[in-house]
């Protein structure tokens, strides 16, 4: 089996625990306004590679990954779920820790055949990093072009399967930095018992040059980059609501916590 791969990174340090061998999958159904990898969008681009080619590259520097492993990101790796399952399956046979960085956007619990593929993948997945783009359905569609119901359902399914979970959230000024939205994210996190870590990622415009090279308009030309202080405050809001939700409390506005359980 061959997959379409955008690129490989030998020494990733921000894509899961330890030093990671990072595989960027080609193709993504989302069009996030702040995306810094627009060159991964098209499904027919990239290079065809098989599992052995990829893992052979990893093996060249295997000692560096003893406390890390392999991470699949993108693009959206779950769009190539059969190849991804094969890659992770072979990695597990070699004793390599597997991490999936995904938006969860392709998850559909009503798809019986699709769920069998999901289960096969999760059986060889040690950790999922779930990128939650926006809590509000309409705002999520405006931001990404896609609905977010499947994202919440996927998070709940990961808890059911007892898959360790890291939550990632990009904070964009004027789009995902609203206190209400951040509070809702924390409240949702409180409904899940398998979360090990929260990562608040500040928006940056370093991907703008890629849009220029691809002849694409950069859709947030006037959005300022998030400061370290702003990122810290956003994280505090999320964590406060997360703790309140886990303890069965209420939000700062004394309103009932929103139930996002599918």
């Amino acid at each position: 089996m061959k997959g379409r791969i955008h690129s490989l990174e030998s020494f990733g340090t921000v894509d899961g625990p330890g030093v990671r061998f990072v595989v960027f999958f080609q193709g993504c159904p989302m069009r996030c306004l702040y995306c810094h990898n627009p060159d991964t969008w098209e499904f027919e681009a990239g290079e065809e590679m098989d599992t052995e080619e990829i893992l052979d590259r990893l093996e060249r520097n295997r000692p560096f990954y003893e406390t890390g492993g392999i991470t699949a990101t993108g693009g959206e790796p779950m769009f190539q779920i059969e190849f991804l399952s094969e890659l992770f399956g072979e990695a597990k046979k070699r004793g390599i820790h597997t991490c999936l960085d995904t938006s969860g956007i392709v998850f559909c619990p009503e798809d019986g055949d699709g769920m069998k593929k999901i289960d096969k993948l999760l059986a060889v997945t040690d950790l999922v990093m779930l990128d939650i783009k926006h809590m509000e359905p309409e705002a999520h569609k405006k931001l990404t072009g896609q609905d977010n119901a499947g994202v919440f359902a996927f998070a709940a399914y990961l808890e059911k399967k007892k898959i360790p979970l890291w939550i990632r959230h990009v904070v964009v000024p004027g789009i995902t930095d609203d206190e209400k939205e951040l509070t809702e994210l924390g409240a949702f996190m409180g409904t899940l018992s398998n979360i090990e870590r929260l990562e608040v990622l500040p928006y940056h415009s370093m991907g703008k040059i890629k849009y220029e090279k691809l002849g694409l308009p950069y859709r947030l030309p006037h959005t300022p980059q998030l400061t370290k202080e702003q990122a810290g405050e956003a994280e505090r809001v999320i964590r406060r609501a997360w703790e309140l939700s886990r303890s069965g409390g209420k939000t700062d506005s004394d309103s009932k916590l929103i139930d996002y359980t599918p």
Side-chain angles (χ1 to χ4, degrees), residues 31-235:
R31 294 294 181 268
C32 300
L33 295 180
Y34 57 73
C35 180
H36 60 276
N37 287 325
D39 43 342
T40 65
W41 288 350
E42 298 304 324
F43 295 103
E44 299 305 318
E47 176 186 357
E48 284 195 341
M49 300 184 72
D50 62 34
T51 296
E52 288 302 313
E53 287 180 88
I54 294 173
L55 292 180
D56 284 348
R57 300 270 191 97
L58 182 153
E59 293 287 2
R60 295 175 190 174
N61 298 294
R62 180 67 181 269
F64 291 100
Y65 308 121
E66 291 305 317
T67 60
I70 187 170
T71 295
T73 184
E76 174 48 67
M78 288 182 70
F79 206 82
Q80 300 185 59
I81 192 167
E82 292 177 334
F83 176 73
L84 175 59
S85 295
E86 180 180 284
L87 176 64
F88 274 14
E90 290 301 314
K92 291 301 297 175
K93 289 178 183 178
R94 303 186 188 201
I96 300 169
H97 180 276
T98 56
C99 174
L100 170 62
D101 179 13
T102 178
S103 68
I105 200 67
V106 302
F107 184 80
C108 180
E110 292 79 25
D111 180 0
D113 289 338
M115 290 303 294
K116 291 178 182 178
K117 294 177 181 178
I118 293 283
D119 287 341
K120 183 178 179 180
L121 171 62
L122 295 182
V124 290
T125 301
D126 293 312
L127 171 68
V128 172
M129 296 192 299
L130 182 62
D131 298 303
I132 296 184
K133 312 294 185 179
H134 205 296
M135 295 301 297
E136 300 295 334
E138 289 305 314
H140 190 277
K141 287 181 181 179
K142 184 177 180 180
L143 176 62
T144 71
Q146 299 285 340
D147 187 76
N148 61 1
V151 178
F152 299 139
F154 184 52
Y157 194 69
L158 291 172
E159 181 191 39
K160 178 181 177 181
K161 289 291 186 176
K162 296 180 170 58
I163 304 295
L165 179 64
W166 290 11
I167 296 295
R168 285 180 153 185
H169 184 63
V170 179
V171 180
V172 187
I175 300 179
T176 61
D177 63 340
D178 180 77
E179 184 171 354
K180 178 177 180 293
E181 195 263 339
L182 296 174
T183 299
E184 288 178 356
L185 173 57
F188 171 65
M189 290 173 60
T191 68
L192 305 171
S193 62
N194 58 328
I195 297 177
E196 294 185 343
R197 182 168 176 170
L198 165 67
E199 292 190 340
V200 173
L201 309 177
Y203 163 76
H204 63 75
S205 58
M206 290 186 288
K208 186 183 295 186
I209 190 171
K210 291 185 179 180
Y211 286 81
E212 295 173 357
K213 289 182 177 179
L214 293 170
L216 298 172
Y218 189 72
R219 294 175 291 173
L220 298 176
H222 305 299
T223 300
Q225 298 190 114
L226 199 77
T227 66
K228 183 178 180 179
E229 291 73 21
Q230 289 172 320
E233 178 55 32
E235 182 170 345

